[in-house]
Amino acid sequence: MALRNIREMGDRVLEKTCRPITEMTPKLVDLINDMLETMYEANGVGLAAPQVGILKRIVVIDVDPEEVNPYIMINPEILEVSEETQTGEEGCLSVPGKSGVVTRPMRVKAKALNINMEPYEIEGEGLLARAICHELDHLDGVLYVSKVEGELHEAGMPEDFEEVDA
Ligand code: NI
């Protein structure tokens, strides 16, 4: 495993649409392991492949600060979103030191393939729902800054649970 360089806003790779995965390969397994290592090293709760310069539909998410229990989502798709929304601070590892207020669905249901290319569904609420929406946006070249209400501002204390980087 190795740390990958996290691309930052302004890098055009973050504005592209990613391609689906058709088969798992040793190279992709390495990529996924590197994405996990890179996400944990950066204290992020999620990371999408384009953030490390790879235009493929892969995201990793782990919103649990207590234990390592990541979701690996390949070719993810949102199936349902709640009408109820949440409005709160959001950040991104590709936009270091900044955060902004974004409204997201309170709950989302999504489907994806796991690392064995087996389909599964995931239902997320609160921070997990926010992370799923944020990471899936990355696969279509969308950064959260385009959804910020008001101004992007300096990020607060990193231990602030409401202010997490994905
Ligand atoms: Ni992000």
Side-chain angles (χ1 to χ4, degrees):
M1 296 217 293
L3 292 176
R4 304 253 179 154
N5 185 34
I6 298 178
R7 305 299 184 93
E8 296 186 1
M9 188 167 65
D11 189 324
R12 301 299 299 270
V13 78
L14 295 172
E15 299 166 16
K16 311 257 189 220
T17 299
C18 296
R19 291 180 297 273
I21 303 299
T22 53
E23 65 172 334
M24 188 50 53
T25 64
K27 202 175 161 187
L28 286 175
V29 172
D30 285 348
L31 168 66
I32 290 165
N33 284 323
D34 288 354
M35 286 173 62
L36 288 167
E37 188 177 352
T38 303
M39 174 181 74
Y40 289 122
E41 169 71 18
N43 293 315
V45 299
L47 190 70
Q51 292 183 275
V52 293
I54 307 291
L55 291 171
K56 294 189 185 299
R57 303 190 80 81
I58 302 173
V59 308
V60 295
I61 293 173
D62 191 348
V63 298
D64 184 350
E66 298 298 321
E67 57 182 315
V68 172
N69 188 24
Y71 291 103
I72 293 162
M73 304 181 77
I74 296 165
N75 301 343
E77 288 177 44
I78 288 178
L79 299 173
E80 288 173 30
V81 300
S82 62
E83 281 184 31
E84 187 186 352
T85 59
Q86 52 177 324
T87 298
E89 292 288 336
E90 198 163 311
C92 179
L93 294 174
S94 294
V95 192
K98 302 285 185 191
S99 70
V101 173
V102 181
T103 296
R104 301 282 192 184
M106 181 58 82
R107 286 176 297 281
V108 304
K109 186 175 176 184
K111 66 173 182 176
L113 303 174
N114 66 18
I115 200 164
N116 298 314
M117 298 295 275
E118 298 158 344
Y120 70 97
E121 290 189 2
I122 172 175
E123 288 184 54
E125 184 170 359
L127 179 58
L128 180 56
R130 179 179 292 281
I132 291 170
C133 294
H134 177 114
E135 298 310 330
L136 268 58
D137 276 352
H138 273 298
L139 302 182
D140 293 316
V142 175
L143 294 179
Y144 85 99
V145 297
S146 67
K147 300 184 171 180
V148 165
E149 298 155 27
E151 296 292 317
L152 201 61
H153 54 80
E154 296 300 315
M157 300 300 285
E159 61 265 30
D160 184 344
F161 191 69
E162 289 301 312
E163 210 165 84
V164 290
D165 291 320

